[in-house]
């Protein structure tokens, strides 16, 4: 039990540090910057291009997926690959969202200088607002943390948590701004449970090409057996003299 508690305490130290850093980051958030970022994305006629290097890039990939699934068309662009031709995917009506802790990564800053020349607006979620990336951005959302949540204070932990929450909060705010509803969400998630509940109809399940046998209530048992043994969906519908359904005899009923 002593070992268990010791390991749990190590876990809680990191867990609680991330909660603390997330709570402390609130004081660095500016309503004007958040509003400007949201309006830029909402009014974007192209796509939201999310980018970041290393662990920030992995957070960016998740952000792009969240934006796309909630009504904001987005994709992820790798900063390194962008410098070797992938900048060609950008269009003048796009917006870039960059995530960075130091804001001094060579790949990121080199890319942003070109994006700036292309006159594409840049929104930056930065751990260091007074960085090169910050000087190139049109809007800065401060994602500063005082300390990472690992014992060495080196691994991107608290900083990526704060950046991810900011991205999710932007996407959530845009849901309300767009009037995005559950039907829209289901359309983008047809394989999920919500999509199946809202989009799947009865006739999607019916295999009409196999036919649905119908017999009069006056039909004989041999006729019923013949219908059950032919191609069907597991049963025969029984109708009255007006053709109205009065019951179903399944294959299991007979066998």
């Amino acid at each position: 039990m002593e070992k268990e508690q010791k390991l749990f305490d190590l876990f809680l130290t990191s867990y609680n540090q991330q909660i603390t850093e997330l709570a402390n980051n609130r004081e660095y958030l500016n309503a004007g910057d958040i509003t400007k970022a949201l309006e830029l994305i909402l009014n974007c006629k192209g796509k939201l291009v999310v980018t970041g290097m290393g662990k920030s890039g992995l957070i960016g990939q998740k952000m792009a997926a969240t934006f796309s699934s909630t009504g904001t068309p987005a994709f992820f662009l790798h900063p390194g690959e962008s410098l070797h031709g992938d900048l060609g995917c950008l269009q003048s009506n796009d917006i870039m969202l960059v995530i960075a802790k130091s804001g001094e990564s060579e790949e990121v800053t080199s890319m942003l200088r070109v994006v700036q020349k292309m006159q594409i607006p840049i929104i930056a979620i930065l751990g260091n607002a007074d960085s090169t990336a910050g000087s190139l951005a049109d809007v800065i959302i401060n994602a500063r943390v005082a300390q990472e949540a690992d014992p060495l204070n080196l691994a991107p932990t608290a900083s990526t948590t704060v950046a991810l929450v900011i991205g999710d909060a932007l996407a959530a705010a845009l849901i309300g701004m767009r009037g995005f509803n559950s039907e829209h969400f289901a359309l983008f998630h047809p394989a999920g449970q919500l999509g199946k509940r809202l989009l799947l109809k009865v006739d999607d399940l019916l295999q009409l090409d196999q036919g649905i046998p119908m017999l009069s209530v006056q039909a004989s048992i041999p006729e019923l057996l013949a219908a059950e043994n032919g191609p069907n969906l597991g049963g025969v519908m029984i109708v009255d003299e007006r053709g109205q359904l009065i019951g179903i005899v399944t294959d299991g009923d007979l066998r």
Side-chain angles (χ1 to χ4, degrees):
M1 291 297 294
E2 183 178 347
K3 179 182 178 181
E4 182 180 279
Q5 186 60 49
K6 183 178 181 179
L7 294 177
F8 188 52
D9 287 344
L10 288 172
F11 167 85
L12 284 179
T13 298
S14 175
Y15 185 89
N16 291 332
Q17 181 65 31
Q18 296 194 66
I19 294 174
T20 297
E21 293 295 345
L22 183 59
N24 290 343
N25 176 254
R26 172 64 182 84
E27 67 180 271
Y28 298 109
L29 297 178
N30 180 281
D33 294 331
I34 296 296
T35 299
K36 187 175 180 180
L38 288 171
E39 290 179 341
L40 275 173
I41 299 172
L42 181 67
N43 297 319
C44 178
K45 302 303 181 183
K47 288 185 169 57
L48 179 63
V49 183
V50 186
T51 188
M53 197 68 190
K55 303 300 184 293
S56 293
L58 296 175
I59 296 299
Q61 291 179 50
K62 191 274 181 187
M63 279 189 197
T66 298
F67 280 116
S68 289
S69 70
T70 53
T72 301
F75 66 90
F76 178 78
L77 175 65
H78 191 283
E81 297 296 337
S82 76
L83 301 175
H84 295 276
D86 284 6
L87 277 170
C89 69
L90 298 181
Q91 295 179 303
S92 59
N93 57 358
D94 290 334
I95 291 176
M96 176 162 281
L97 173 63
V98 58
I99 306 105
K101 181 183 178 182
S102 70
E104 298 296 345
S105 169
E106 183 177 350
E107 294 92 342
V108 170
T109 56
S110 296
M111 175 190 63
L112 292 181
R113 288 189 179 95
V114 179
V115 173
Q116 190 181 62
K117 289 180 180 179
M118 297 171 70
Q119 298 184 329
I120 292 175
I122 299 170
I123 301 169
I125 299 175
L126 299 176
N128 179 14
D130 299 321
S131 60
T132 302
S135 68
L136 296 167
D138 297 281
V139 183
I140 298 174
I141 299 176
N142 198 325
R144 181 182 181 276
V145 297
Q147 184 176 327
E148 294 289 6
D150 72 292
L152 301 175
N153 190 27
L154 293 174
T157 45
S159 58
T160 49
T161 296
V162 170
L164 179 60
V165 171
I166 289 173
D168 284 345
L170 289 173
L174 286 162
I175 289 176
M177 294 169 74
R178 293 186 188 281
F180 193 83
N181 58 37
S182 58
E183 283 74 18
H184 296 130
F185 189 86
L187 188 63
F188 296 156
H189 299 75
Q193 287 302 312
L194 178 60
K196 290 178 180 177
R197 288 204 306 270
L198 294 180
L199 299 178
L200 195 63
K201 306 300 181 185
V202 172
D203 61 4
D204 293 325
L205 300 175
L206 292 177
Q207 303 170 37
L208 298 178
D209 58 323
Q210 293 187 14
I212 303 176
M214 286 190 294
L215 283 179
S216 166
V217 69
Q218 301 299 327
S220 66
I221 293 299
E223 290 176 317
L224 176 61
L225 290 172
E228 287 283 5
N229 288 326
N232 61 63
L233 297 175
V236 175
M237 295 191 297
I238 308 301
V239 298
D240 61 18
E241 62 276 4
R242 296 173 299 168
Q244 299 295 309
L245 179 68
I246 59 174
I248 297 175
V249 179
T250 69
D251 188 70
D253 292 331
L254 292 174
R255 298 184 190 280

